[in-house]
Amino acid sequence: MNDQQISDAVAQVLGGYGEAPAVSPEQPSVQTSAPAASSTTPACDPVSDLVASILADAGSAPARKDGPAFVPGSKRCCWQPAPSGPDPLDAILSKALESGIGAKKNGTVAPAMPAATASVTVSDEEATTLGDGVFATMDEAIAAAEQAQRRYLFCSMAARKAFVDGIREVFLDPATLERISVQTVEQTGMGNVAHKIIKNRLAAEKSPGVEDLTTDAASGDGGLTLVEYSPYGVIGAITPTTNPTETIICNSIGMLAAGNAAVFSPHPRAKNVSLLAVKLINRKLASLGAPANLVVTVQAPSIENTNAMMAHPRIRMLVATGGPGIVRTVMSTGKKAIGAGAGNPPVVVDETADIEKAAQDIVNGCSFDNNLPCIAEKEIIAVDQIADYLMACMQKCGAYLVTDRAVVDKLQALVINDKGGPQTSCVGKSAVHLLDKVGITAGDDIKVILIELPKAHPFVQEELMMPILPLVRAPSVDDAIDLAVELEHGNRHTAMMHSTNVRKLTKMAKLIQTTIFVKNGPSYAGIGVGGEGHATFTIAGPTGEGLTSARSFARKRRCVMVEALNVR
């Protein structure tokens, strides 16, 4: 039988049995009318034979009984209207399709579930209004997300993949990439638009989806045991001002791939662009038939709303991407928590390195998005015999070398606050901007401010998140490695080393114990930009998950079949 014959068979079955059941609102209806009976139809017509056989087997319909209004869908995503009793049409249609498809040639497959391809739009005016995942209160947002996640439990893995692919599609649109990147810089006053575009694209392209959820199996005389990744439920996610949309994109992909719903509490300084990202996600998911409100947030992000989210009993997991304070807070709630905290990544350069390449890599990594990523090079520890040559090479690559102590003092007064940490107004600003504030005019080719300093200086000890790069000399590579371990402060976040000495590379990797360790490359290679591996903007050093992915947002569950399904 061909596809048309299968369709004709289904139509004739429906015509012979009675009216088709109502189609749920989110499912497109298919108008199919049964052809009129004809005396000229051959007795051997396979469609007629199939219809006659099915109707004969079906018999009369039993009376319907009262039951629940909605039930989990068996073949479609989420909940569907329930019949008031057993509906023999299900068996009839299943047999019709099974018989028809079984008669097709080997190698053919059933058509894939159609996906909406229309682009979604959200105006700037709409972005901060209620609806499409944006709620007035945190309680309302969490209640909606919980309801959505209950429905999401009955979505197939194919549906999950379609939803994740839909999110990717939204943020890989060049106009959307540019829009959210420009708005992030405008609203936060931090970073570089071109680099924001790279980061947002990276989050959309390289954040793992359902393929990350592998299954372990064990079989033997006792039967079969499966261990699979299962959702937590509703996850509360705190996102930073440094990577607001990137974090929403990668966490939405990972959390939904794992079967969860996500409640975001964005940084207030990135409110508008964060709400825009959430609305774009919701409208795309709606076009694909997903449950409403799988990704939600509040209209007015605040510390109070974040606290309400963390304390809410329906939040099963907390994910904090930000500074050490918020990470400590989520870890103290008693809930399952993932903390992606601060770092102070050192880069070691020894006498065996390719110095010219190391200089270019360090400048590129340090200046990426004006040094906002926590993975970016924050201080150099260079072996003394190559330190001068390294600085000379870096100047050729866009570093401005500051040697005047008075200028160093001015910079310190500008960028360090009264508590000894970075001045918020200077975080994520360009090297040209910072130099201008201390009376130095530099060309647009300047990417990094390079200063040789002792290890005790605050520029060395503090994670500034701005393109000020101190260099500290070390008498040997072993001393440099020891100093790098000290300056990383046990954050176990990121470190780099430029060397061709495999033994020393191995030594540093073992001693520093960072989540990311990049050898002979820029820091951003550690998150998949020019390096292998998946991307994430939630790098959980304090709680040990490392580079998070879909499986980080799932729990392992065991399913056991005793004395069965072992075919060995």
Side-chain angles (χ1 to χ4, degrees):
M1 297 178 68
N2 58 33
D3 291 340
Q4 184 59 49
Q5 289 175 318
I6 296 170
S7 298
D8 291 344
V10 173
Q12 290 188 40
V13 170
L14 292 176
Y17 186 82
E19 291 295 323
V23 180
S24 59
E26 71 272 18
Q27 182 181 11
S29 60
V30 179
Q31 299 293 333
T32 308
S33 59
S38 171
S39 60
T40 60
T41 303
C44 62
D45 176 26
V47 174
S48 299
D49 290 345
L50 177 61
V51 170
S53 172
I54 293 170
L55 290 175
D57 291 344
S60 59
R64 295 179 180 271
K65 299 177 182 179
D66 292 336
F70 291 87
V71 295
S74 60
K75 297 181 181 178
R76 299 185 64 252
C77 180
C78 315
W79 295 80
Q80 64 186 25
S84 57
D87 189 350
L89 277 174
D90 287 342
I92 293 171
L93 292 175
S94 294
K95 183 170 181 180
L97 291 173
E98 181 181 353
S99 300
I101 293 172
K104 296 178 74 174
K105 294 181 179 179
N106 291 336
T108 59
V109 295
M113 181 178 65
T117 57
S119 61
V120 294
T121 58
V122 176
S123 69
D124 290 345
E125 292 73 22
E126 290 177 297
T128 56
T129 60
L130 297 176
D132 294 310
V134 176
F135 290 84
T137 69
M138 187 58 75
D139 283 346
E140 291 174 344
I142 294 172
E146 183 186 29
Q147 194 172 47
Q149 201 273 332
R150 285 180 179 273
R151 298 175 63 201
Y152 196 35
L153 287 172
F154 297 96
C155 290
S156 66
M157 294 302 292
R160 286 195 205 175
K161 182 180 186 303
F163 302 153
V164 166
D165 289 346
I167 295 173
R168 297 189 201 277
E169 182 184 330
V170 168
F171 294 105
L172 289 176
D173 173 66
T176 301
L177 278 174
E178 183 173 4
R179 180 185 180 194
I180 62 175
S181 300
V182 168
Q183 287 194 16
T184 298
V185 173
E186 289 176 348
Q187 292 170 27
T188 66
M190 300 177 178
N192 173 297
V193 171
H195 293 169
K196 295 285 188 192
I197 291 173
I198 293 171
K199 290 163 63 181
N200 282 304
R201 182 187 295 114
L202 181 72
E205 283 184 339
K206 299 190 73 172
S207 297
V210 296
E211 71 280 358
D212 196 48
L213 306 174
T214 56
T215 297
D216 292 330
S219 67
D221 294 339
L224 173 69
T225 293
L226 298 178
V227 179
E228 296 187 305
Y229 288 98
S230 186
Y232 274 92
V234 182
I235 298 179
I238 302 164
T239 61
T241 187
T242 51
N243 303 300
T245 53
E246 302 94 319
T247 307
I248 288 174
I249 293 167
C250 76
N251 281 354
S252 292
I253 289 173
M255 291 172 185
L256 266 62
N260 306 286
V263 180
F264 284 104
S265 184
H267 195 286
R269 284 176 61 191
K271 179 188 80 170
N272 289 8
V273 74
S274 298
L275 266 59
L276 171 61
V278 168
K279 285 212 168 194
L280 286 168
I281 290 170
N282 274 274
R283 290 195 179 178
K284 185 62 179 181
L285 293 179
S287 76
L288 295 170
N293 302 313
L294 279 175
V295 177
V296 300
T297 189
V298 288
Q299 189 178 35
S302 64
I303 294 176
E304 292 74 22
N305 275 317
T306 298
N307 289 335
M309 182 187 74
M310 291 190 293
H312 201 287
R314 299 300 184 187
I315 296 292
R316 299 289 184 173
M317 171 189 267
L318 290 168
V319 179
T321 309
I326 193 64
V327 171
R328 284 194 297 267
T329 300
V330 299
M331 291 174 66
S332 67
T333 61
K335 298 182 178 183
K336 169 63 179 176
I338 292 177
N344 192 40
V347 51
V348 167
V349 185
D350 76 4
E351 68 279 8
T352 72
D354 181 337
I355 304 300
E356 294 85 353
K357 181 180 183 299
Q360 185 68 72
D361 286 346
I362 293 168
V363 170
N364 288 347
C366 174
S367 63
F368 187 60
D369 204 21
N370 292 343
N371 202 247
L372 281 177
C374 289
I375 62 165
E377 290 85 347
K378 299 296 191 283
E379 64 276 342
I380 304 169
I381 302 97
V383 173
D384 183 66
Q385 79 180 73
I386 53 90
D388 291 329
Y389 184 52
L390 175 65
M391 288 189 286
C393 291
M394 289 179 67
Q395 290 179 76
K396 295 178 181 178
C397 300
Y400 186 95
L401 180 63
V402 174
T403 57
D404 188 336
R405 293 297 105 180
V407 174
V408 176
D409 292 342
K410 286 182 182 180
L411 277 171
Q412 183 174 343
L414 174 70
V415 306
I416 300 293
N417 62 29
D418 294 339
K419 297 180 180 180
Q423 189 69 255
T424 301
S425 61
C426 295
V427 170
K429 292 296 193 293
S430 69
V432 172
H433 173 89
L434 297 173
L435 288 170
D436 181 68
K437 291 295 183 181
V438 295
I440 296 174
T441 301
D444 291 339
D445 59 324
I446 295 301
K447 302 176 182 178
V448 168
I449 301 171
L450 178 63
I451 313 170
E452 184 178 341
L453 291 169
K455 74 172 187 177
H457 196 279
F459 287 0
V460 180
Q461 295 289 334
E462 295 293 327
E463 183 184 35
L464 299 180
M465 289 187 292
M466 57 190 82
I468 295 177
L469 189 58
L471 181 145
V472 182
R473 291 177 186 256
S476 70
V477 62
D478 293 309
D479 292 309
I481 291 171
D482 290 341
L483 182 54
V485 173
E486 176 186 338
L487 295 176
E488 206 273 329
H489 300 314
N491 292 314
R492 295 192 170 190
H493 199 292
T494 301
M496 285 66 61
M497 184 174 183
H498 292 268
S499 173
T500 58
N501 187 327
V502 175
R503 291 182 181 277
K504 299 305 181 184
L505 287 165
T506 303
K507 177 181 178 179
M508 181 169 172
K510 285 181 176 293
L511 289 177
I512 204 157
Q513 288 290 304
T514 49
T515 299
I516 297 174
F517 183 57
V518 179
K519 303 173 181 178
N520 299 314
S523 54
Y524 48 67
I527 56 170
V529 182
E532 296 296 330
H534 77 269
T536 183
F537 288 87
T538 297
I539 300 167
T543 51
E545 291 78 9
L547 277 77
T548 56
S549 63
R551 70 178 65 185
S552 306
F553 309 122
R555 60 195 184 100
K556 285 188 173 183
R557 295 176 63 196
R558 174 180 284 202
C559 182
V560 180
M561 173 73 79
V562 178
E563 297 180 350
L565 292 179
N566 171 27
V567 297
R568 289 184 293 179

